[in-house]
Amino acid sequence: MKLNIRLIALLLSLIMTLGIFASCANVGDEQTSEPEEQTTEAPAITDEETSALDAPKTYDIIVNGESMTTIIRPKDLTSEDPAVAAAVKVRNGIEDAVNVKVKMADDFKKATEEFDASTLELLVGPTAHPQVAEAIAGLTYGDYTIKAVGNKIVIFGFTSSAISKAADEFAKIVDQYKVETADGKVSVSIPAEALNIVEQHAGSKIYSEVPAFDGATFSATYKS
């Protein structure tokens, strides 16, 4: 009987000892385990924010007497079209101001191609570039704009007189920011804040009261 009691006591003592070791092991695991890292996803960047990040602070259209840009007009138009006439006026205005020739092309591209957003270009009139649609959003028919969007400078007006006025204003900006070096070479660096112009054309109050609609093109009326 005494042997059984001793055996039971020994077994109870062994169980308690094992329990203490197990508890110590658990405590050690808790102390050495590293806290779980909490990760938060960065907010998504929108296309507009990306354009803003990519937009230059200055637009170097002429550097040491050489043109760094191309004038782009809408394709499939005759020389009498207001957009083409305005594009020619922009080119002549730059050449008169700095005596530097600037290339001119249209917005033709294949269906499988995309416009190069990284290229500095002067977009005159309703070209197919997405930057034009962004620049003219909210304009009325009486307005014209000169607006920097990404690497593009949009020069736009809905009527022939309005876009002609925009071309004249851009020539004034070029003349304002031209700098001539000691060796006679000219550079034109236009700050981005100078390319955010929206003006109401004084030619017609009626035009200014009519909101523009998507896909609008130039038109004219004649008294008869």
Side-chain angles (χ1 to χ4, degrees):
M1 185 68 179
K2 291 181 179 180
L3 179 61
N4 291 339
I5 294 174
R6 289 178 180 178
L7 182 59
I8 292 171
L10 180 61
L11 289 173
L12 290 174
S13 177
L14 180 60
I15 291 170
M16 292 176 64
T17 302
L18 291 174
I20 292 172
F21 280 123
S23 299
C24 291
N26 290 336
V27 172
D29 291 342
E30 291 177 359
Q31 291 177 344
T32 57
S33 60
E34 296 182 357
E36 294 183 1
E37 293 184 0
Q38 295 182 352
T39 58
T40 55
E41 295 183 359
I45 298 176
T46 65
D47 291 339
E48 291 183 359
E49 289 172 336
T50 302
S51 298
L53 291 173
D54 293 339
K57 294 182 179 180
T58 58
Y59 291 78
D60 303 323
I61 64 172
I62 307 293
V63 177
N64 292 328
E66 294 185 11
S67 172
M68 298 288 109
T69 187
T70 302
I71 300 169
I72 305 295
R73 64 173 181 80
K75 66 180 187 303
D76 300 330
L77 298 178
T78 65
S79 59
E80 288 78 21
D81 187 272
V84 178
V88 173
K89 198 170 190 180
V90 169
R91 183 186 63 186
N92 292 343
I94 295 173
E95 292 182 358
D96 290 344
V98 297
N99 195 28
V100 175
K101 293 187 178 298
V102 182
K103 294 186 297 183
M104 187 161 64
D106 60 36
D107 62 349
F108 172 80
K109 71 176 181 65
K110 297 179 181 179
T112 57
E113 295 177 338
E114 296 290 338
F115 291 117
D116 185 0
S118 65
T119 305
L120 175 59
E121 293 174 324
L122 310 180
L123 308 180
V124 182
T127 71
H129 295 73
Q131 292 85 357
V132 174
E134 182 177 340
I136 69 175
L139 296 186
T140 70
Y141 285 115
D143 299 338
Y144 69 83
T145 187
I146 300 170
K147 190 173 183 66
V149 182
N151 288 299
K152 313 299 181 183
I153 300 175
V154 178
I155 302 169
F156 187 93
F158 281 105
T159 64
S160 57
S161 57
I163 195 170
S164 179
K165 179 70 173 175
D168 289 336
E169 289 300 315
F170 185 73
K172 292 179 182 178
I173 294 173
V174 171
D175 189 63
Q176 178 182 355
Y177 288 98
K178 69 179 180 181
V179 176
E180 187 171 349
T181 61
D183 56 359
K185 294 182 178 180
V186 179
S187 294
V188 178
S189 296
I190 306 175
E193 56 268 22
L195 297 169
N196 189 23
I197 297 173
V198 176
E199 293 288 346
Q200 188 177 91
H201 181 53
S204 174
K205 183 179 179 181
I206 295 176
Y207 283 149
S208 301
E209 296 174 351
V210 179
F213 60 90
D214 291 340
T217 57
F218 294 107
S219 64
T221 58
Y222 299 90
K223 292 183 179 181
S224 62

